[in-house]
Structures are given as C-alpha cells and as structure tokens.
C-alpha cells in the first residue's frame, strides 16, 4: 500500500525533447539576429519578403540544432553530461555566429547605414 512502482531513472537534459527545446532557442536567436541585421542595414526588398525568408530558414536551423544536440547527447552525454552540454553550447554559438555573419551581414551589399556591411549594434570584439 502506498508504494509506487519503480520506473527507469529520469534523464535530465537528454534526448529529443531537450534537443527540440535547445534547437528552438538556437533557431529563434539566430533568426532574430539575422532579421535585426537586415533591418539595420536596409537589406532586402521589403520587410515581408525578409520575414518570409527567415520563416523558411527557422525550421532548418531548428532541425540542425536539435539533431546536433541529440547526437552529442547520445555519444558524449552518456558518460559526461556536462561535457555534452558544454560541447553543444560551443557548437550552437559557433553555428549561430557563422550564420549571422554569413547571411545577416553581406559585405557586398551597399548600405550607407552599415559601413563594411556590419550593423551598428554588432559588438566590436566579435569578428564579422
């Protein structure tokens, strides 16, 4: 009486569920930064066209970030969960930085408000 059945131990920060959450956060942050860069530098024909482009880009980023988390968790996370989380964080930040600088800041686009294609809000210590 009152005894609960013992089940499998719960896994913290593991599997596809947390991969979906981390992937969504990465995709939203990356798409937001690209959109802000495009808006600051007046890139594109209209905000609606830019929004549609970013809307189509978001699921691809979400899937890529979620898949990378699941792969890291299944390989490294079984023994070292902290190392898997740290590795994924480095991978996510690196990919987000690459995509924002590659897609969000085209250096060949002439914009008087963005010298050298870099928006004014971009931190100076990060290479663009």
């Amino acid at each position: 009486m009152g005894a609960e059945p013992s089940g499998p131990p719960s896994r913290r920060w593991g599997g596809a569920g947390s991969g979906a959450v981390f992937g969504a956060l990465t995709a939203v942050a990356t798409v937001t930064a690209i959109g802000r860069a495009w808006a600051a530098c007046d890139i594109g024909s209209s905000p609606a066209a830019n929004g549609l482009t970013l809307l189509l880009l978001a699921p691809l980023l979400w899937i890529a970030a979620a898949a990378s988390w699941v792969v890291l968790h299944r390989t490294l996370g079984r023994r070292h969960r902290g190392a898997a989380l740290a590795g994924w964080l480095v991978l996510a930040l690196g990919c987000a930085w690459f995509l924002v600088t590659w897609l969000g800041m085209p250096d060949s686009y002439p914009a008087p408000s963005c010298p050298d294609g870099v928006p004014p809000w971009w931190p100076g210590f990060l290479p663009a």
Side-chain angles (χ1 to χ4, degrees):
M1 267 174 80
E4 296 182 21
S6 63
S10 65
R11 290 188 272 171
R12 287 182 74 185
W13 302 110
S18 60
V21 171
F22 287 147
L25 292 174
T26 302
V28 166
T30 303
V31 166
T32 301
I34 291 171
R36 285 191 62 208
W38 286 354
C41 295
D42 295 326
I43 294 174
S45 58
S46 70
N50 289 348
L52 183 61
T53 302
L54 293 174
L55 186 64
L56 294 174
L57 180 65
L60 298 174
L61 294 174
W62 186 7
I63 291 168
S68 67
W69 166 251
V70 170
V71 167
L72 267 173
H73 179 266
R74 297 244 169 125
T75 57
L76 185 61
R78 292 184 188 262
R79 295 186 185 184
H80 306 285
R81 288 185 184 161
L85 184 60
W88 182 83
L89 184 62
V90 168
L91 179 70
L93 289 174
C95 288
W97 167 80
F98 172 73
L99 288 171
V100 170
T101 57
W102 181 51
L103 294 174
M105 301 177 198
D107 54 355
S108 62
Y109 192 84
S113 60
C114 295
D116 298 327
V118 179
W121 55 265
W122 186 257
F125 63 88
L126 288 176

